[in-house]
Coordinates of all heavy atoms in Angstrom, one line a residue:
M1 N 0.9 -1.2 0.0 CA 0.0 0.0 0.0 C 0.9 1.2 0.0 O 1.9 1.3 0.7 CB -0.9 0.0 1.2 CG -1.7 1.2 1.4 SD -2.9 1.4 2.8 CE -2.4 0.1 3.9
T2 N 0.5 2.2 -0.8 CA 1.3 3.5 -0.8 C 0.4 4.6 -0.2 O -0.8 4.7 -0.6 CB 1.7 3.9 -2.2 OG1 2.4 2.8 -2.8 CG2 2.5 5.1 -2.3
I3 N 0.9 5.3 0.7 CA 0.2 6.4 1.3 C 0.9 7.7 0.9 O 2.1 7.9 1.1 CB 0.3 6.3 2.9 CG1 -0.4 5.0 3.3 CG2 -0.4 7.5 3.5 CD1 -0.3 4.8 4.8
G4 N 0.2 8.6 0.3 CA 0.7 9.9 -0.1 C 0.6 11.0 1.0 O -0.5 11.2 1.5
L5 N 1.6 11.6 1.3 CA 1.6 12.6 2.3 C 2.2 13.9 1.7 O 3.3 14.2 2.0 CB 2.4 12.2 3.6 CG 2.0 10.9 4.3 CD1 3.0 10.5 5.3 CD2 0.6 11.1 4.9
G6 N 1.4 14.5 0.8 CA 2.0 15.7 0.1 C 3.1 15.2 -0.9 O 2.8 14.4 -1.7
Q7 N 4.3 15.6 -0.7 CA 5.4 15.2 -1.5 C 6.0 13.9 -1.1 O 6.7 13.3 -1.9 CB 6.5 16.3 -1.5 CG 6.1 17.6 -2.0 CD 6.0 17.6 -3.5 OE1 6.7 16.8 -4.2 NE2 5.1 18.5 -4.1
I8 N 5.7 13.4 0.1 CA 6.3 12.2 0.6 C 5.3 11.0 0.3 O 4.1 11.1 0.6 CB 6.5 12.3 2.1 CG1 7.4 13.5 2.4 CG2 7.1 11.0 2.7 CD1 7.5 13.8 3.9
K9 N 5.9 9.9 -0.2 CA 5.1 8.7 -0.4 C 5.7 7.6 0.4 O 6.9 7.3 0.3 CB 5.0 8.3 -1.9 CG 4.2 9.2 -2.7 CD 3.9 8.7 -4.0 CE 3.0 9.7 -4.8 NZ 2.7 9.3 -6.1
L10 N 4.9 7.0 1.3 CA 5.4 6.0 2.2 C 4.8 4.7 1.7 O 3.6 4.6 1.6 CB 5.0 6.3 3.6 CG 5.3 5.3 4.7 CD1 6.9 5.2 4.8 CD2 4.7 5.7 6.0
V11 N 5.6 3.7 1.5 CA 5.1 2.4 1.1 C 5.0 1.6 2.4 O 6.0 1.4 3.1 CB 6.1 1.7 0.1 CG1 5.6 0.3 -0.2 CG2 6.2 2.5 -1.2
V12 N 3.8 1.1 2.7 CA 3.6 0.3 3.9 C 3.5 -1.2 3.5 O 2.9 -1.6 2.5 CB 2.2 0.7 4.5 CG1 1.9 -0.1 5.7 CG2 2.2 2.2 4.9
M13 N 4.3 -2.0 4.2 CA 4.3 -3.4 4.0 C 4.5 -4.2 5.2 O 4.8 -3.6 6.3 CB 5.5 -3.7 3.0 CG 6.8 -3.3 3.5 SD 8.1 -3.5 2.2 CE 8.0 -1.9 1.4
N14 N 4.3 -5.5 5.2 CA 4.6 -6.3 6.3 C 6.1 -6.6 6.4 O 6.8 -6.3 5.5 CB 3.7 -7.6 6.4 CG 4.0 -8.5 5.2 OD1 5.2 -8.6 4.8 ND2 3.0 -9.3 4.8
F15 N 6.5 -7.2 7.6 CA 7.9 -7.4 7.8 C 8.5 -8.4 6.8 O 9.6 -8.1 6.3 CB 8.1 -7.9 9.2 CG 9.5 -8.1 9.6 CD1 10.3 -6.9 9.9 CD2 10.1 -9.3 9.7 CE1 11.6 -7.0 10.2 CE2 11.5 -9.4 10.1 CZ 12.2 -8.3 10.3
S16 N 7.8 -9.4 6.5 CA 8.3 -10.4 5.5 C 8.6 -9.7 4.1 O 9.6 -9.9 3.5 CB 7.4 -11.6 5.3 OG 7.2 -12.3 6.5
T17 N 7.6 -8.9 3.7 CA 7.8 -8.2 2.4 C 9.0 -7.2 2.5 O 9.8 -7.1 1.5 CB 6.5 -7.5 2.0 OG1 5.4 -8.4 2.0 CG2 6.6 -6.8 0.7
W18 N 9.1 -6.5 3.6 CA 10.2 -5.6 3.8 C 11.5 -6.3 3.7 O 12.5 -5.8 3.0 CB 10.0 -4.8 5.1 CG 11.1 -3.8 5.3 CD1 11.0 -2.5 4.8 CD2 12.3 -3.9 6.0 NE1 12.2 -1.8 5.2 CE2 13.0 -2.7 5.9 CE3 13.0 -5.0 6.6 CZ2 14.2 -2.5 6.4 CZ3 14.2 -4.8 7.2 CH2 14.8 -3.5 7.1
I19 N 11.6 -7.4 4.4 CA 12.9 -8.2 4.4 C 13.2 -8.6 2.9 O 14.4 -8.5 2.5 CB 12.8 -9.5 5.3 CG1 12.8 -9.1 6.7 CG2 13.8 -10.5 5.0 CD1 14.1 -8.6 7.3
N20 N 12.3 -9.1 2.2 CA 12.5 -9.5 0.8 C 12.7 -8.4 -0.2 O 13.2 -8.7 -1.3 CB 11.3 -10.4 0.3 CG 11.2 -11.7 1.1 OD1 12.1 -12.2 1.6 ND2 10.0 -12.2 1.2
A21 N 12.4 -7.2 0.2 CA 12.5 -6.0 -0.8 C 13.9 -5.5 -1.0 O 14.1 -4.7 -1.9 CB 11.6 -4.9 -0.3
G22 N 14.9 -6.0 -0.2 CA 16.2 -5.4 -0.5 C 17.3 -6.4 0.0 O 17.2 -7.0 1.1
K23 N 18.3 -6.5 -0.8 CA 19.4 -7.3 -0.4 C 20.1 -6.8 0.8 O 20.3 -5.6 0.9 CB 20.4 -7.4 -1.6 CG 21.6 -8.4 -1.4 CD 22.4 -8.5 -2.6 CE 23.6 -9.4 -2.3 NZ 24.4 -9.6 -3.5
G24 N 20.5 -7.6 1.8 CA 21.2 -7.2 3.0 C 20.4 -6.8 4.1 O 20.9 -6.4 5.2
R25 N 19.0 -6.8 3.9 CA 18.2 -6.3 5.0 C 18.2 -7.2 6.2 O 18.2 -6.7 7.4 CB 16.8 -6.1 4.5 CG 16.7 -4.8 3.6 CD 15.2 -4.6 3.2 NE 15.2 -3.3 2.6 CZ 14.1 -2.6 2.3 NH1 12.9 -3.2 2.5 NH2 14.1 -1.5 1.6
V26 N 18.2 -8.5 6.0 CA 18.3 -9.4 7.2 C 19.5 -9.2 8.0 O 19.5 -9.1 9.2 CB 18.2 -10.9 6.7 CG1 18.4 -11.8 7.9 CG2 16.8 -11.2 6.1
T27 N 20.7 -9.1 7.3 CA 21.9 -8.8 7.9 C 21.9 -7.5 8.7 O 22.4 -7.4 9.8 CB 23.1 -8.9 6.9 OG1 23.1 -10.2 6.3 CG2 24.4 -8.7 7.6
A28 N 21.4 -6.5 8.0 CA 21.4 -5.1 8.7 C 20.6 -5.1 9.9 O 21.0 -4.6 11.0 CB 20.9 -4.1 7.7
I29 N 19.4 -5.7 9.9 CA 18.5 -5.6 11.1 C 19.1 -6.6 12.2 O 19.0 -6.3 13.3 CB 17.0 -5.9 10.7 CG1 16.1 -5.3 11.8 CG2 16.8 -7.3 10.4 CD1 14.7 -5.2 11.4
A30 N 19.7 -7.7 11.7 CA 20.3 -8.6 12.7 C 21.4 -7.9 13.5 O 21.5 -7.9 14.7 CB 20.8 -9.8 12.0
Q31 N 22.3 -7.1 12.7 CA 23.3 -6.4 13.4 C 22.8 -5.3 14.3 O 23.3 -5.1 15.4 CB 24.3 -5.8 12.3 CG 25.1 -6.8 11.6 CD 26.0 -6.3 10.5 OE1 25.8 -5.1 10.1 NE2 26.9 -7.1 10.0
H32 N 21.8 -4.6 13.8 CA 21.2 -3.5 14.6 C 20.6 -4.0 16.0 O 20.8 -3.4 17.0 CB 20.1 -2.9 13.8 CG 19.4 -1.7 14.5 ND1 20.0 -0.5 14.7 CD2 18.2 -1.7 15.2 CE1 19.2 0.3 15.4 NE2 18.1 -0.4 15.7
F33 N 20.0 -5.2 15.9 CA 19.3 -5.7 17.1 C 20.2 -6.7 17.9 O 19.8 -7.3 18.9 CB 18.0 -6.4 16.8 CG 16.9 -5.4 16.5 CD1 16.6 -5.0 15.2 CD2 16.2 -4.7 17.5 CE1 15.6 -4.1 15.0 CE2 15.3 -3.8 17.3 CZ 14.9 -3.4 16.0
G34 N 21.4 -7.0 17.4 CA 22.3 -7.9 18.1 C 21.8 -9.3 18.0 O 22.0 -10.1 19.0
R35 N 21.2 -9.7 16.9 CA 20.7 -11.1 16.7 C 21.3 -11.7 15.5 O 22.0 -11.0 14.7 CB 19.2 -11.0 16.5 CG 18.4 -10.3 17.5 CD 18.2 -11.1 18.8 NE 17.8 -10.4 20.0 CZ 16.6 -10.0 20.3 NH1 15.6 -10.2 19.4 NH2 16.4 -9.4 21.4
T36 N 21.1 -13.0 15.3 CA 21.6 -13.7 14.2 C 20.6 -13.5 13.0 O 19.4 -13.3 13.3 CB 21.8 -15.2 14.4 OG1 20.5 -15.8 14.7 CG2 22.7 -15.4 15.6
P37 N 21.1 -13.6 11.8 CA 20.2 -13.6 10.6 C 19.1 -14.7 10.7 O 17.9 -14.4 10.4 CB 21.1 -13.8 9.4 CG 22.4 -13.2 9.9 CD 22.5 -13.6 11.3
G38 N 19.4 -15.8 11.3 CA 18.4 -16.9 11.4 C 17.3 -16.5 12.4 O 16.2 -16.8 12.2
A39 N 17.7 -15.8 13.5 CA 16.7 -15.3 14.4 C 15.8 -14.3 13.8 O 14.5 -14.3 14.0 CB 17.3 -14.7 15.7
I40 N 16.3 -13.4 13.0 CA 15.5 -12.4 12.3 C 14.6 -13.1 11.3 O 13.4 -12.7 11.1 CB 16.4 -11.4 11.5 CG1 17.3 -10.6 12.6 CG2 15.6 -10.4 10.7 CD1 16.6 -9.9 13.6
S41 N 15.0 -14.1 10.6 CA 14.2 -14.8 9.6 C 13.0 -15.4 10.3 O 11.9 -15.5 9.7 CB 15.0 -15.9 8.9 OG 15.9 -15.3 8.0
Q42 N 13.1 -15.8 11.6 CA 12.0 -16.3 12.4 C 10.9 -15.2 12.6 O 9.8 -15.6 12.9 CB 12.4 -16.9 13.7 CG 13.2 -18.2 13.5 CD 13.7 -18.8 14.8 OE1 13.6 -18.2 15.8 NE2 14.4 -19.9 14.7
W43 N 11.3 -14.0 12.6 CA 10.4 -12.9 12.8 C 9.4 -12.8 11.6 O 8.4 -12.0 11.7 CB 11.1 -11.6 12.9 CG 11.9 -11.5 14.2 CD1 12.2 -12.4 15.1 CD2 12.7 -10.3 14.6 NE1 13.0 -11.9 16.1 CE2 13.3 -10.7 15.8 CE3 12.8 -9.0 14.1 CZ2 14.1 -9.7 16.5 CZ3 13.6 -8.1 14.8 CH2 14.2 -8.5 16.0
R44 N 9.6 -13.5 10.5 CA 8.7 -13.4 9.4 C 7.3 -13.9 9.8 O 6.3 -13.4 9.2 CB 9.2 -14.3 8.3 CG 10.4 -13.8 7.6 CD 10.9 -14.8 6.5 NE 12.2 -14.5 6.0 CZ 12.5 -13.7 5.0 NH1 11.5 -13.2 4.3 NH2 13.7 -13.5 4.6
S45 N 7.2 -14.7 10.8 CA 5.9 -15.2 11.3 C 5.4 -14.3 12.5 O 4.4 -14.6 13.1 CB 6.0 -16.6 11.7 OG 6.9 -16.9 12.7
G46 N 6.2 -13.3 12.8 CA 5.8 -12.4 13.9 C 7.0 -11.8 14.6 O 7.8 -12.5 15.2
V47 N 7.0 -10.5 14.6 CA 8.1 -9.7 15.3 C 7.7 -9.7 16.8 O 6.6 -9.6 17.1 CB 8.1 -8.2 14.8 CG1 9.1 -7.4 15.6 CG2 8.5 -8.2 13.3
P48 N 8.7 -10.0 17.6 CA 8.5 -10.0 19.1 C 7.8 -8.6 19.5 O 8.3 -7.6 19.1 CB 9.8 -10.1 19.7 CG 10.7 -10.8 18.7 CD 10.2 -10.3 17.4
P49 N 6.7 -8.7 20.2 CA 5.9 -7.4 20.5 C 6.8 -6.4 21.2 O 6.6 -5.2 20.9 CB 4.8 -7.9 21.4 CG 4.6 -9.3 21.0 CD 6.0 -9.9 20.6
K50 N 7.7 -6.7 22.0 CA 8.5 -5.7 22.7 C 9.5 -5.0 21.8 O 10.0 -3.9 22.1 CB 9.3 -6.3 23.9 CG 10.3 -7.3 23.5 CD 11.0 -7.9 24.7 CE 12.1 -8.9 24.3 NZ 12.8 -9.5 25.4
L51 N 9.7 -5.5 20.5 CA 10.6 -4.9 19.6 C 9.8 -4.2 18.4 O 10.5 -3.6 17.5 CB 11.5 -5.9 19.0 CG 12.5 -6.6 20.0 CD1 13.3 -7.7 19.4 CD2 13.4 -5.5 20.7
M52 N 8.5 -4.3 18.4 CA 7.8 -3.7 17.2 C 8.0 -2.3 17.0 O 8.2 -1.9 15.8 CB 6.3 -4.0 17.4 CG 5.9 -5.5 17.2 SD 4.2 -5.7 17.4 CE 4.1 -7.5 17.0
R53 N 8.0 -1.5 18.0 CA 8.3 0.0 17.8 C 9.6 0.2 17.2 O 9.8 1.1 16.4 CB 8.1 0.8 19.1 CG 6.6 0.9 19.4 CD 6.4 1.9 20.6 NE 5.0 2.0 20.8 CZ 4.5 2.0 22.0 NH1 5.2 1.8 23.1 NH2 3.2 2.1 22.2
Q54 N 10.6 -0.5 17.7 CA 12.0 -0.3 17.2 C 12.1 -0.8 15.8 O 12.8 -0.2 15.0 CB 13.0 -1.1 18.1 CG 13.1 -0.5 19.5 CD 13.9 -1.4 20.5 OE1 14.7 -2.2 20.0 NE2 13.6 -1.3 21.8
V55 N 11.4 -1.9 15.4 CA 11.4 -2.3 14.0 C 10.8 -1.3 13.1 O 11.3 -1.0 12.1 CB 10.8 -3.7 13.9 CG1 10.5 -4.1 12.4 CG2 11.6 -4.8 14.6
R56 N 9.6 -0.8 13.6 CA 9.0 0.3 12.8 C 9.9 1.5 12.6 O 10.0 2.0 11.5 CB 7.7 0.8 13.6 CG 7.0 1.9 12.8 CD 6.2 2.8 13.7 NE 7.0 3.3 14.9 CZ 6.4 3.7 16.0 NH1 5.1 3.7 16.2 NH2 7.2 4.2 17.0
D57 N 10.6 1.9 13.6 CA 11.5 3.0 13.5 C 12.7 2.6 12.6 O 13.2 3.4 11.8 CB 12.0 3.5 14.9 CG 10.9 4.0 15.7 OD1 9.8 4.3 15.2 OD2 11.1 4.1 16.9
F58 N 13.2 1.4 12.7 CA 14.4 1.0 11.9 C 14.0 1.0 10.4 O 14.8 1.3 9.6 CB 14.9 -0.4 12.3 CG 16.1 -0.9 11.6 CD1 17.3 -0.5 12.0 CD2 15.9 -1.7 10.5 CE1 18.4 -1.0 11.3 CE2 17.0 -2.1 9.7 CZ 18.3 -1.8 10.1
T59 N 12.8 0.6 10.1 CA 12.3 0.5 8.7 C 11.8 1.9 8.2 O 11.3 1.9 7.1 CB 11.2 -0.5 8.5 OG1 10.1 -0.1 9.3 CG2 11.7 -1.9 9.0
G60 N 11.9 2.9 9.0 CA 11.5 4.2 8.6 C 9.9 4.3 8.4 O 9.4 5.0 7.6
G61 N 9.2 3.4 9.1 CA 7.8 3.4 9.1 C 7.2 2.6 7.9 O 6.0 2.5 7.8
E62 N 8.1 2.0 7.1 CA 7.6 1.1 6.0 C 6.9 -0.1 6.6 O 5.9 -0.6 6.0 CB 8.7 0.7 5.1 CG 9.2 1.8 4.3 CD 10.3 1.4 3.3 OE1 10.8 0.3 3.4 OE2 10.7 2.2 2.5
V63 N 7.3 -0.6 7.7 CA 6.6 -1.7 8.4 C 5.9 -1.1 9.6 O 6.5 -0.5 10.5 CB 7.6 -2.8 8.9 CG1 6.8 -3.9 9.6 CG2 8.4 -3.4 7.7
T64 N 4.6 -1.1 9.6 CA 3.8 -0.4 10.6 C 3.5 -1.4 11.8 O 3.6 -2.6 11.6 CB 2.5 0.1 10.0 OG1 1.7 -1.1 9.6 CG2 2.7 1.0 8.8
L65 N 3.1 -0.7 12.9 CA 2.7 -1.5 14.0 C 1.5 -2.4 13.7 O 1.4 -3.5 14.1 CB 2.4 -0.6 15.2 CG 3.6 0.2 15.8 CD1 3.1 1.1 16.9 CD2 4.6 -0.8 16.4
E66 N 0.6 -1.8 12.9 CA -0.6 -2.5 12.5 C -0.3 -3.8 11.7 O -0.9 -4.8 12.0 CB -1.6 -1.6 11.7 CG -2.2 -0.5 12.5 CD -1.2 0.7 12.8 OE1 -0.1 0.8 12.1 OE2 -1.6 1.6 13.6
E67 N 0.6 -3.7 10.8 CA 1.0 -4.8 10.0 C 1.7 -5.9 10.9 O 1.4 -7.1 10.7 CB 2.0 -4.4 8.9 CG 1.3 -3.7 7.8 CD 0.4 -4.5 6.9 OE1 0.5 -5.7 6.9 OE2 -0.6 -3.9 6.4
M68 N 2.6 -5.5 11.8 CA 3.2 -6.4 12.7 C 2.2 -7.1 13.6 O 2.3 -8.3 13.8 CB 4.4 -5.8 13.4 CG 5.6 -5.4 12.6 SD 6.9 -4.7 13.5 CE 6.4 -3.0 13.6
L69 N 1.3 -6.3 14.1 CA 0.3 -6.9 15.0 C -0.6 -7.9 14.2 O -0.9 -9.0 14.7 CB -0.6 -5.8 15.6 CG 0.1 -5.0 16.7 CD1 -0.7 -3.8 17.1 CD2 0.4 -5.9 17.9
A70 N -0.9 -7.6 13.0 CA -1.7 -8.5 12.2 C -1.0 -9.8 11.9 O -1.6 -10.9 12.0 CB -2.1 -7.8 10.9
E71 N 0.3 -9.7 11.6 CA 1.1 -10.9 11.4 C 1.2 -11.8 12.6 O 1.1 -13.0 12.6 CB 2.6 -10.5 11.0 CG 2.7 -10.0 9.6 CD 4.2 -9.7 9.3 OE1 4.9 -9.3 10.2 OE2 4.6 -9.9 8.1
T72 N 1.3 -11.1 13.8 CA 1.4 -11.9 15.1 C 0.0 -12.6 15.3 O 0.0 -13.7 15.7 CB 1.7 -10.9 16.2 OG1 2.9 -10.3 15.9 CG2 1.8 -11.6 17.5
E73 N -1.1 -11.9 15.0 CA -2.4 -12.5 15.2 C -2.6 -13.7 14.3 O -3.1 -14.7 14.7 CB -3.5 -11.5 15.1 CG -3.6 -10.5 16.2 CD -3.9 -11.1 17.5 OE1 -4.8 -12.0 17.6 OE2 -3.2 -10.8 18.5
L74 N -2.1 -13.6 13.1 CA -2.3 -14.7 12.1 C -1.4 -15.9 12.5 O -1.8 -17.0 12.1 CB -1.9 -14.2 10.7 CG -2.9 -13.2 10.1 CD1 -2.3 -12.7 8.7 CD2 -4.3 -13.8 9.8
A75 N -0.3 -15.6 13.1 CA 0.6 -16.7 13.4 C 0.2 -17.5 14.7 O 0.7 -18.6 14.9 CB 2.0 -16.2 13.6
K76 N -0.7 -16.9 15.5 CA -1.1 -17.6 16.7 C -2.0 -18.8 16.4 O -2.9 -18.8 15.5 CB -2.0 -16.7 17.6 CG -1.3 -15.6 18.3 CD -2.2 -14.9 19.2 CE -1.6 -13.7 19.9 NZ -2.5 -12.9 20.7
P77 N -1.7 -20.0 17.0 CA -2.5 -21.1 16.8 C -3.9 -20.9 17.4 O -4.0 -20.3 18.5 CB -1.7 -22.3 17.5 CG -0.8 -21.6 18.4 CD -0.6 -20.2 17.9
Q78 N -4.9 -21.4 16.8 CA -6.3 -21.3 17.3 C -6.5 -22.4 18.3 O -6.1 -23.5 18.1 CB -7.3 -21.3 16.2 CG -7.4 -20.1 15.3 CD -8.5 -20.2 14.3 OE1 -8.9 -21.3 13.9 NE2 -9.1 -19.1 14.0
S79 N -7.3 -22.0 19.3 CA -7.7 -23.0 20.3 C -8.8 -23.8 19.7 O -9.5 -23.4 18.7 CB -8.2 -22.4 21.6 OG -9.4 -21.7 21.4
P80 N -9.1 -25.1 20.1 CA -10.2 -25.9 19.6 C -11.5 -25.1 19.7 O -12.3 -25.2 18.8 CB -10.2 -27.1 20.5 CG -8.8 -27.2 21.0 CD -8.3 -25.8 21.1
K81 N -11.7 -24.3 20.7 CA -13.0 -23.5 20.8 C -13.1 -22.5 19.7 O -14.1 -22.3 19.1 CB -13.0 -22.9 22.2 CG -14.3 -22.2 22.5 CD -14.3 -21.6 24.0 CE -15.6 -21.0 24.3 NZ -15.6 -20.6 25.7
Q82 N -11.9 -21.8 19.4 CA -11.9 -20.8 18.3 C -12.2 -21.5 17.0 O -12.9 -21.0 16.1 CB -10.6 -20.1 18.3 CG -10.4 -19.1 19.4 CD -9.0 -18.5 19.5 OE1 -8.1 -19.3 19.2 NE2 -8.9 -17.3 19.8
K83 N -11.6 -22.7 16.8 CA -11.8 -23.4 15.5 C -13.2 -23.8 15.3 O -13.8 -23.7 14.2 CB -10.9 -24.7 15.5 CG -9.4 -24.3 15.3 CD -8.6 -25.6 15.2 CE -7.1 -25.3 15.1 NZ -6.3 -26.5 15.2
G84 N -13.9 -24.3 16.4 CA -15.3 -24.6 16.3 C -16.2 -23.5 16.0 O -17.1 -23.6 15.2
A85 N -15.8 -22.3 16.6 CA -16.6 -21.1 16.3 C -16.5 -20.7 14.9 O -17.4 -20.2 14.3 CB -16.2 -20.0 17.2
A86 N -15.3 -20.9 14.3 CA -15.1 -20.5 12.9 C -15.9 -21.4 11.9 O -16.2 -21.0 10.8 CB -13.6 -20.6 12.5
N87 N -16.2 -22.6 12.4 CA -17.0 -23.6 11.5 C -18.5 -23.4 11.6 O -19.2 -24.2 10.9 CB -16.5 -25.0 11.8 CG -15.1 -25.3 11.5 OD1 -14.6 -24.7 10.5 ND2 -14.5 -26.2 12.2
V88 N -18.9 -22.5 12.5 CA -20.4 -22.4 12.7 C -21.0 -21.6 11.6 O -20.5 -20.7 11.1 CB -20.7 -21.8 14.1 CG1 -22.2 -21.5 14.2 CG2 -20.2 -22.7 15.1

């Protein structure tokens, strides 16, 4: 999604898309957060909540809190009660 703010256009994407959008991004964010590239790759299924604001700031707002929260919600396993409610 592209948001126009006057002369500024901000492309909003989820973390996985942001990682894939540029060579060296996994390495750069891993170094910034003091993690391994493998650990950062695991964030594709959800950025740790306590780091979401820092990730948003690191990406210059391209990855929003809303996108990261949505990824985290999608990655959560559903309880049997939730699965049953979805089938009603």
Side-chain angles (χ1 to χ4, degrees):
M1 173 177 18
T2 303
I3 299 172
L5 303 171
Q7 295 287 332
I8 302 169
K9 288 193 178 176
L10 178 65
V11 177
V12 178
M13 60 187 84
N14 66 29
F15 186 73
S16 297
T17 303
W18 184 85
I19 287 290
N20 293 334
K23 186 176 180 178
R25 287 185 171 190
V26 171
T27 302
I29 201 165
Q31 288 175 348
H32 180 79
F33 285 98
R35 305 283 164 79
T36 65
I40 299 302
S41 290
Q42 291 178 357
W43 292 5
R44 291 175 191 270
S45 61
V47 174
K50 66 182 180 181
L51 297 175
M52 288 181 177
R53 286 190 176 132
Q54 294 172 22
V55 169
R56 177 203 55 204
D57 295 345
F58 183 85
T59 65
E62 289 183 350
V63 179
T64 65
L65 294 174
E66 292 80 11
E67 287 292 333
M68 288 183 277
L69 289 169
E71 285 180 328
T72 301
E73 289 299 315
L74 291 173
K76 283 184 185 176
Q78 287 186 328
S79 70
K81 188 174 183 178
Q82 289 172 319
K83 286 180 184 176
N87 292 331
V88 174

